[in-house]
Amino acid sequence: MTIRSNFALLICFILISGCSSRPKLPLISDEEAFKYEKEYLAEYEQLKSDFSDQSEIKWVQPANKKTPCKVYVGVSKGDDRTLDPDYKVYWDGDCKNGYANGLGREFERATVLNAEALAIYKGKEEEPEYFIQTYHLDNKTQEGDINNRYFVETTINEDNFNFDINYQYGFFGSKEMPYRLITMKSPFNDNILQYKQYPNFSYVLYDMSNNEFDKNKYNFYMNYKGKANGFGFSTPKSGATASGEMSDGSMIRRVQLPNSYFLKIGSVQSEINDAGVKALNAQKYALKVKKQYMNQICKESKSVDFMDDKEYKDICNDSSEIKIKIDEKLAQINILKQQKREQQRQHELLIAKQKQAEAERNQEAWNSINQSLKELGDNIRKNTPKTTYTNCNGTYGGVNCTSTTY
């Protein structure tokens, strides 16, 4: 073995880099990549009957109307809220042919129920157009095309220690299409969650592209029975996408997924985005309907005899109080972000100093190795016996010899 090969081997052991190849991950077939989806969809087809529509319609006379003026009430067959002894429904609008008519607001009250809905009736036994539904006990409001299940759902959570607001929007499923296409976001969180949810499984996509403190851009996995099951991937903001197979929430192997799999997930995300656009447009129209209703009732002269005037006109209040709370929390979050940025900057400075110190130590090691190799070479030259080779060529008139020493 030569000195050159000894030197290369020595560097390999010292640096432990560049001298071994990483094993290539297996590229799985299209058939294998979609096996979980195929299994879950087949299971869904078998379970369809179990997820059949369990609702029914009731036409109920409002407690505040003396003449026939029935309103539409959809209830669950297993949980009929109209059977509560304290249940009452009120209609703030006109009547025609024994049914509610035109633009108005329904109020539902029961033992543990405080809800209202903005709707347009047609004066006959036909489902009205619902635009806004509010569930006061849950701090939840739905705005949009409620009938066709495209709307924006806003939930506010507030206690003495925290204020939070979350939005879900998209398609919320129907008996004809029993799946959901939902985008979830909050002004207080840079991450966005999107999912297509069937009754038995869902596609889940996390978007962290706007989160400056997260190294990943997207994470995708399939959720089955509350845990990640199937093939998924993680796309970092820099570097290659990592893919793998999950079982019961744990990674069982790393793989390369075929392009068809990424195209499939891209199409699912497009479905979710399209549903989100429809929901946001429906919300805009619903807010126009709300404004029209407010023009009718938000007058000092307007009052009702079936509820407290302050409660009745709460819809007339602007959202400035909520906006103030949102701005206050965003200010707190920005302070925390600035602190985190400074911590990262200090950490990066420390890492840079450590790398500089390590580079200096490596240079000292290189210098030591080079000096040792130089000394080794000098010793080899000193201790190797010299050999003289003589080469003689015959020429006309004599012999010509030359000598070379090595």
Side-chain angles (χ1 to χ4, degrees), residues 212-213 336-354:
E212 62 181 293
F213 303 110
L336 294 175
K337 283 184 176 181
Q338 187 57 41
Q339 292 174 348
K340 194 168 184 178
R341 291 187 194 106
E342 180 60 24
Q343 290 174 354
Q344 284 190 341
R345 191 182 73 83
Q346 293 295 336
H347 180 69
E348 289 169 358
L349 287 174
L350 177 61
I351 295 297
K353 289 180 181 178
Q354 291 175 342

Side-chain angles (χ1 to χ4, degrees), residues 316-371:
C316 302
N317 297 330
D318 60 32
S319 57
S320 58
E321 184 179 345
I322 295 295
K323 186 179 184 304
I324 290 172
K325 291 179 179 180
I326 291 176
D327 289 343
E328 287 176 349
K329 183 160 183 176
L330 286 175
Q332 295 171 359
I333 291 173
N334 286 331
I335 291 173
L336 294 175
K337 283 184 176 181
Q338 187 57 41
Q339 292 174 348
K340 194 168 184 178
R341 291 187 194 106
E342 180 60 24
Q343 290 174 354
Q344 284 190 341
R345 191 182 73 83
Q346 293 295 336
H347 180 69
E348 289 169 358
L349 287 174
L350 177 61
I351 295 297
K353 289 180 181 178
Q354 291 175 342
K355 287 183 177 180
Q356 179 62 29
E358 184 178 358
E360 292 174 357
R361 289 194 297 271
N362 287 340
Q363 187 59 49
E364 291 176 0
W366 276 105
N367 293 339
S368 177
I369 290 171
N370 288 331
Q371 181 62 32

Side-chain angles (χ1 to χ4, degrees), residues 277-401:
V277 171
K278 289 181 180 179
L280 292 171
N281 288 335
Q283 182 193 40
K284 290 179 182 178
Y285 187 77
L287 293 176
K288 287 183 180 180
V289 175
K290 178 181 177 180
K291 186 175 182 180
Q292 178 68 14
Y293 173 76
M294 289 169 59
N295 289 336
Q296 296 177 10
I297 72 150
C298 297
K299 303 172 183 177
E300 189 174 344
S301 59
K302 177 70 175 179
S303 63
V304 293
D305 58 4
F306 58 87
M307 70 167 46
D308 178 76
D309 192 60
K310 182 179 179 181
E311 181 183 4
Y312 173 69
K313 290 193 175 180
D314 184 62
I315 192 174
C316 302
N317 297 330
D318 60 32
S319 57
S320 58
E321 184 179 345
I322 295 295
K323 186 179 184 304
I324 290 172
K325 291 179 179 180
I326 291 176
D327 289 343
E328 287 176 349
K329 183 160 183 176
L330 286 175
Q332 295 171 359
I333 291 173
N334 286 331
I335 291 173
L336 294 175
K337 283 184 176 181
Q338 187 57 41
Q339 292 174 348
K340 194 168 184 178
R341 291 187 194 106
E342 180 60 24
Q343 290 174 354
Q344 284 190 341
R345 191 182 73 83
Q346 293 295 336
H347 180 69
E348 289 169 358
L349 287 174
L350 177 61
I351 295 297
K353 289 180 181 178
Q354 291 175 342
K355 287 183 177 180
Q356 179 62 29
E358 184 178 358
E360 292 174 357
R361 289 194 297 271
N362 287 340
Q363 187 59 49
E364 291 176 0
W366 276 105
N367 293 339
S368 177
I369 290 171
N370 288 331
Q371 181 62 32
S372 298
L373 290 173
K374 183 178 180 301
E375 292 174 356
L376 178 60
D378 291 343
N379 288 333
I380 290 174
R381 284 191 292 273
K382 288 179 182 179
N383 297 323
T384 300
K386 295 182 179 180
T387 304
T388 300
Y389 296 90
T390 302
N391 183 30
C392 297
N393 295 315
T395 61
Y396 178 77
V399 177
N400 182 25
C401 295

Side-chain angles (χ1 to χ4, degrees), residues 45-239:
E45 290 297 326
Q46 294 177 351
L47 295 174
K48 262 187 177 179
S49 59
D50 295 337
F51 297 103
S52 59
D53 186 33
Q54 296 296 316
S55 62
E56 62 179 342
I57 300 167
K58 284 191 171 185
W59 289 91
V60 181
Q61 175 68 21
N64 63 310
K65 295 293 184 179
K66 295 180 180 179
T67 59
C69 191
K70 293 180 181 179
V71 294
Y72 178 101
V73 180
V75 298
S76 170
K77 293 178 181 178
D79 184 19
D80 186 348
R81 63 187 181 280
T82 65
L83 299 179
D84 187 311
D86 293 325
Y87 179 83
K88 284 184 175 61
V89 61
Y90 304 93
W91 168 242
D92 177 38
D94 295 331
C95 306
K96 182 180 178 181
N97 302 323
Y99 294 92
N101 185 57
L103 174 61
R105 191 166 36 145
E106 298 174 25
F107 301 87
E108 287 189 283
R109 300 291 186 268
T111 304
V112 188
L113 175 64
N114 184 348
E116 62 185 69
L118 195 63
I120 296 178
Y121 279 83
K122 298 180 181 179
K124 55 184 176 180
E125 193 172 304
E126 183 177 308
E127 182 181 6
E129 294 179 83
Y130 283 106
F131 297 96
I132 297 178
Q133 293 182 335
T134 303
Y135 304 91
H136 293 286
L137 301 183
D138 298 317
N139 295 319
K140 185 179 296 183
T141 301
Q142 297 170 346
E143 300 168 325
D145 185 357
I146 307 295
N147 297 53
N148 293 309
R149 309 296 291 161
Y150 285 96
F151 55 83
V152 178
E153 183 175 275
T154 303
T155 303
I156 297 175
N157 295 309
E158 186 174 11
D159 55 34
N160 295 329
F161 305 100
N162 190 33
F163 170 80
D164 200 8
I165 183 168
N166 295 285
Y167 306 105
Q168 294 189 63
Y169 58 93
F171 176 64
F172 283 77
S174 65
K175 60 182 179 181
E176 293 81 16
M177 295 185 290
Y179 55 80
R180 290 152 54 101
L181 298 164
I182 303 298
T183 297
M184 296 181 63
K185 63 194 314 184
S186 167
F188 310 135
N189 193 327
D190 294 324
N191 297 336
I192 299 173
L193 170 63
Q194 294 184 302
Y195 60 89
K196 180 177 183 179
Q197 182 183 46
Y198 285 85
N200 60 322
F201 79 101
S202 56
Y203 307 86
V204 183
L205 182 70
Y206 280 98
D207 180 352
M208 291 87 73
S209 56
N210 292 324
N211 188 336
E212 62 181 293
F213 303 110
D214 201 303
K215 295 180 180 179
N216 287 328
K217 188 174 182 180
Y218 295 108
N219 284 341
F220 168 78
Y221 68 92
M222 299 191 74
N223 185 306
Y224 180 69
K225 295 184 178 179
K227 294 186 178 180
N229 279 277
F231 292 104
F233 58 84
S234 179
T235 302
K237 291 174 181 172
S238 62

